[in-house]
Amino acid sequence: AQTVTQSQPEMSVQEAETVTLSCTYDTSENNYYLFWYKQPPSRQMILVIRQEAYKQQNATENRFSVNFQKAAKSFSLKISDSQLGDTAMYFCAFMKRRGGADGLTFGKGTHLIIQP
Amino acid sequence: GAVVSQHPSWVICKSGTSVKIECRSLDFQATTMFWYRQFPKQSLMLMATSNEGSKATYEQGVEKDKFLINHASLTLSTLTVTSAHPEDSSFYICSARGGGPNYEQYFGPGTRLTVT
């Protein structure tokens, strides 16, 4: 079984600052996906960014980027130029790359607060 | 594209009754659907995986006789909570996977169940 650990229950930064959310995971799989999801107060899960484990290049989506260290089993999310709308719960998630038959294993989440 | 709906968004039922939650993929065919449960201020926990036309696969610790899942078509999966008790009160979220190469899961907006 795999586990996902997010060690920061809550973080608070000023608007426009850069913030990094940490995530570590444990698995015996070699092929898998990693995700960061955002859950605002509406509770709708929103995909922020996805990383395929076989790709060495770190994924980037506009202001969001990851630092994927496969050997260390680390998958941190960096948010640049943070905005008030980034305030939300952020969940790191793992999925085996097995034909899409598996659900997601989530970390406990980090509550990110962007202060004006 | 890739919209998933859930109905109802909020339901209150009396202890001992059953309640059905629907999950629909509106603009794509979902070969696999997943059901998650989220307690207040906690993470999402995978309950079960359902494939169209076959029996659902339940995660360890999830009572299959209590949480009945039916994936009757490529666009509809239902979760029925039978003989509900107050401890079943939670937020239930479904996700659906299309046939794309990234196996991305698209999440519904969730259903809040309150058992009185």
Side-chain angles (χ1 to χ4, degrees), chain A residues 41-43, chain B residues 6-13 19 21 38-40 88-93 109-115:
Chain A
S42 68
R43 304 191 79 168
Chain B
Q6 278 184 245
H7 178 79
S9 57
W10 193 5
V11 58
I12 302 173
C13 71
V19 60
I21 302 169
Q38 185 178 30
F39 288 107
D88 298 325
S89 298
S90 189
F91 195 67
Y92 293 88
I93 305 175
T111 296
R112 182 183 303 279
L113 170 64
T114 301
V115 184

Side-chain angles (χ1 to χ4, degrees), chain A residues 4-11 19-23 35-40 45-49 63-64 77-79 82-93 106-114, chain B residues 38 43-44:
Chain A
V4 178
T5 302
Q6 293 179 249
S7 58
Q8 305 151 312
E10 185 171 290
M11 295 187 72
V19 60
T20 299
L21 309 183
S22 65
C23 172
F35 305 85
W36 279 98
Y37 281 91
K38 171 184 178 180
Q39 188 180 43
M45 297 293 285
I46 301 166
L47 177 65
V48 175
I49 201 164
R63 298 184 294 108
F64 301 88
L77 173 70
K78 185 171 83 171
I79 305 174
S82 57
Q83 301 174 358
L84 297 179
D86 295 334
T87 294
M89 283 293 294
Y90 286 82
F91 293 99
C92 178
F106 287 91
K108 292 191 174 186
T110 296
H111 184 205
L112 176 64
I113 301 168
I114 308 300
Chain B
Q38 185 178 30
S43 187
L44 285 75

Side-chain angles (χ1 to χ4, degrees), chain B residues 17-114:
Chain B
T17 62
S18 296
V19 60
K20 180 184 288 187
I21 302 169
E22 292 185 348
C23 175
R24 293 182 184 273
S25 56
L26 299 184
D27 51 3
F28 68 100
Q29 292 187 328
T31 53
T32 306
M33 287 184 168
F34 305 89
W35 286 94
Y36 297 86
R37 183 174 182 176
Q38 185 178 30
F39 288 107
K41 299 188 184 301
Q42 294 191 26
S43 187
L44 285 75
M45 298 293 293
L46 178 66
M47 298 175 65
T49 301
S50 73
N51 293 289
E52 185 262 341
S54 61
K55 287 185 178 181
T57 302
Y58 291 81
E59 295 298 302
Q60 192 172 9
V62 177
E63 299 175 61
K64 60 180 66 176
D65 293 333
K66 180 167 192 58
F67 298 99
L68 301 179
I69 292 171
N70 183 26
H71 194 155
S73 73
L74 285 172
T75 59
L76 174 64
S77 176
T78 60
L79 167 68
T80 301
V81 183
T82 62
S83 187
H85 290 283
E87 57 265 31
D88 298 325
S89 298
S90 189
F91 195 67
Y92 293 88
I93 305 175
C94 74
S95 70
R97 183 185 74 80
N102 291 323
Y103 303 117
E104 183 172 339
Q105 294 184 23
Y106 301 97
F107 283 84
T111 296
R112 182 183 303 279
L113 170 64
T114 301

Side-chain angles (χ1 to χ4, degrees), chain A residues 18-111:
Chain A
T18 294
V19 60
T20 299
L21 309 183
S22 65
C23 172
T24 59
Y25 59 95
D26 190 24
T27 184
S28 58
E29 302 286 328
N30 192 47
N31 293 319
Y32 50 87
Y33 293 97
L34 293 164
F35 305 85
W36 279 98
Y37 281 91
K38 171 184 178 180
Q39 188 180 43
S42 68
R43 304 191 79 168
Q44 173 72 57
M45 297 293 285
I46 301 166
L47 177 65
V48 175
I49 201 164
R50 170 182 51 238
Q51 176 78 42
E52 294 166 77
Y54 71 88
K55 290 186 176 178
Q56 291 186 334
Q57 186 172 6
N58 290 324
T60 299
E61 289 287 343
N62 300 314
R63 298 184 294 108
F64 301 88
S65 62
V66 298
N67 182 4
F68 173 49
Q69 302 289 328
K70 189 174 184 179
K73 295 180 180 171
S74 170
F75 182 61
S76 62
L77 173 70
K78 185 171 83 171
I79 305 174
S80 303
D81 185 26
S82 57
Q83 301 174 358
L84 297 179
D86 295 334
T87 294
M89 283 293 294
Y90 286 82
F91 293 99
C92 178
F94 172 100
M95 186 179 79
K96 294 179 192 176
R97 191 169 183 261
R98 197 169 63 94
D102 295 279
L104 294 161
T105 300
F106 287 91
K108 292 191 174 186
T110 296
H111 184 205

